[in-house]
Amino acid sequence: MSVLDKFSDPKLCRSLLDRIHAELDGELRFMEVCGTHTVSIFRSGLHSLLPDRVIHLSGPGCPVCVTHESEVAMYLDLASRDDVIVATFGDLMRVPGPGGRNLKAAQADGARVAVVYSPFDAVKLAQANPDAKVVFLGIGFETTAPTVAATIQMAAKAGLDNFHVVSFHKLVPPALRALMADPELRVDALIMPGHVTSIIGPRAYDFLAEEFHLPSVVTGFDPLDILQSLLELVRQKNAGRAEVVNMYTRAVPEEGNPKAMSIMNEIFVPADALWRGIGMIPGSGLEIAPAYERFDAKKVLGLELVDVPPIKGCRCGDVLRGKLTPNKCPLFGKACTPAKPVGPCMVSTEGSCAAYFKYNTEL
């Protein structure tokens, strides 16, 4: 058995499950902030093994899911321009915008939309197409933003004048502060995203314990990671404690990643940001800093956000705020399926609705 296999060891998992069953005192409603945790819980079958009193809720940690309808409208505007090549990650292609239209439909209609696997590929695309403006669609959280920032640094060093970024990056801590301040949200504890925390460090969440008295655990994505974290949350709740604990020390340093943070803070500055289903959250986004505005597609190409109404009937916003489980949405599995998604939570591989559908849960 390799070291990694041990994080899925059935005997150790059974032992932790027994301890959770034995020590759970009352109900535990926890939010998994990261969409990858949501998928891991379903894929490993943990949801069917945990006590019924452990209720897990999704959070706003799926980057595609929180991309606002108005932001998608801007992407479609870009794709309609003859002198622009849009470069994007594949997950964004089917995210619905105004009238349910998406980038894949725009591409089918002749728009120049290129799927890339890295923002660095977008730089290469710009070098290969000097007569076009190549615009990379920058989404994601603190995990992705440093790489996009490094891409802009690369373009600056190369002297490129036809590479630009639309930055709709979002920051996790401000969003959590806004969500936890909602008096209608019933959450007892949180499992924090390992990837984001590897950049910003676990102390970025201390406000959850100090201001909201919420136990929180930073954890990995294997079954043992998740079960150990749930046991820690059960014990904190039973004891009336609220602490932020890092249980993913093999990947998350206490200080985060200072180099990545430095690059991110050089290229970007905090800004207000729109979150799908949540609305505007002050200071929860990243804009390109004035010193690098020649790479800012919004300024160079004169782009502005337009108001776009929510998709009729879609409850992705309630899912992202932990107020609704996907299978309670009237559209789930009927009008909304992975083959014909109405909302982004059914589109993304990290989406809660897609996970519920794929693993056919009856929760």
Side-chain angles (χ1 to χ4, degrees):
M1 179 181 291
S2 70
V3 173
L4 291 179
D5 288 338
K6 291 181 179 178
F7 289 98
S8 302
D9 181 79
K11 290 183 179 179
L12 292 174
C13 287
R14 183 72 262 172
S15 174
L16 286 167
L17 275 166
D18 290 343
R19 288 156 74 180
I20 291 172
H21 277 270
E23 297 186 30
L24 181 63
D25 181 13
E27 187 178 86
L28 177 71
R29 298 173 63 87
F30 79 94
M31 173 180 281
E32 67 258 3
V33 176
C34 176
T36 307
H37 278 137
T38 304
V39 174
S40 296
I41 289 170
F42 286 127
R43 184 173 55 218
S44 61
L46 290 182
H47 68 276
S48 62
L49 300 173
L50 289 164
D52 291 340
R53 291 172 296 166
V54 174
I55 299 168
H56 59 115
L57 306 167
S58 298
C62 162
V64 167
C65 302
V66 297
T67 300
H68 195 272
E69 293 93 335
S70 295
E71 296 171 342
V72 179
M74 185 182 288
Y75 298 157
L76 293 170
D77 175 24
L78 271 171
S80 71
R81 302 190 182 195
D82 293 336
D83 60 341
V84 168
I85 298 174
V86 172
T88 178
F89 294 136
D91 267 9
L92 267 180
M93 291 292 287
R94 298 174 67 222
V95 174
R101 187 168 170 77
N102 57 34
L103 286 170
K104 191 172 183 65
Q107 185 187 48
D109 290 340
R112 292 197 288 178
V113 181
V115 174
V116 295
Y117 296 97
S118 160
F120 296 111
D121 291 340
V123 173
K124 295 176 184 175
L125 196 63
Q127 291 171 322
N129 294 273
D131 296 331
K133 297 179 177 65
V134 173
V135 179
F136 178 72
L137 308 183
I139 68 162
F141 304 110
E142 292 92 335
T143 320
T144 311
T147 304
V148 178
T151 305
I152 292 175
Q153 284 183 331
M154 174 189 287
K157 289 179 181 176
L160 283 178
D161 59 5
N162 68 326
F163 173 76
H164 309 287
V165 173
V166 176
S167 176
F168 286 133
H169 292 99
K170 294 177 173 61
L171 302 173
V172 170
L176 290 178
R177 187 188 296 277
L179 281 184
M180 296 308 128
D182 183 347
E184 296 181 0
L185 183 64
R186 294 174 55 211
V187 172
D188 299 315
L190 298 104
I191 285 184
M192 309 306 295
H195 297 145
V196 166
T197 316
S198 69
I199 303 297
I200 64 177
R203 302 282 64 84
Y205 310 123
D206 281 346
F207 69 93
L208 293 169
E210 295 165 357
E211 298 178 26
F212 301 100
H213 198 69
L214 284 170
S216 308
V217 175
V218 179
T219 193
F221 303 93
D222 289 302
L224 274 183
D225 290 318
I226 295 168
L227 290 171
Q228 281 183 315
S229 300
L230 287 176
L231 182 60
E232 168 65 20
L233 294 176
V234 166
R235 288 174 171 172
Q236 285 198 41
K237 186 170 184 288
N238 287 349
R241 292 185 287 115
E243 300 171 10
V244 178
V245 177
N246 179 14
M247 301 190 78
Y248 196 28
T249 54
R250 68 182 185 279
V252 176
E254 190 69 12
E255 71 279 12
N257 186 329
K259 184 174 182 180
M261 289 293 292
S262 175
I263 295 172
M264 188 172 76
N265 292 333
E266 177 186 339
I267 302 298
F268 295 114
V269 294
D272 299 345
L274 273 173
W275 296 62
R276 188 182 291 243
I278 301 174
M280 186 70 76
I281 301 178
S284 67
L286 291 173
E287 294 278 4
I288 296 175
Y292 292 89
E293 67 179 15
R294 64 188 184 281
F295 299 102
D296 188 340
K298 296 177 201 170
K299 293 182 179 176
V300 173
L301 300 176
L303 305 174
E304 292 187 2
L305 282 174
V306 296
D307 289 335
V308 174
I311 299 170
K312 187 176 181 181
C314 178
R315 301 288 299 276
C316 278
D318 290 333
V319 172
L320 295 168
R321 289 180 293 168
K323 295 187 174 183
L324 183 79
T325 53
N327 56 347
K328 298 295 190 296
C329 173
L331 303 185
F332 178 79
K334 300 169 186 170
C336 184
T337 65
K340 193 176 180 181
V342 174
C345 296
M346 189 62 91
V347 173
S348 173
T349 55
E350 297 179 63
S352 184
C353 297
Y356 268 70
F357 189 94
K358 181 176 182 179
Y359 296 101
N360 194 28
T361 180
E362 297 298 327
L363 280 175

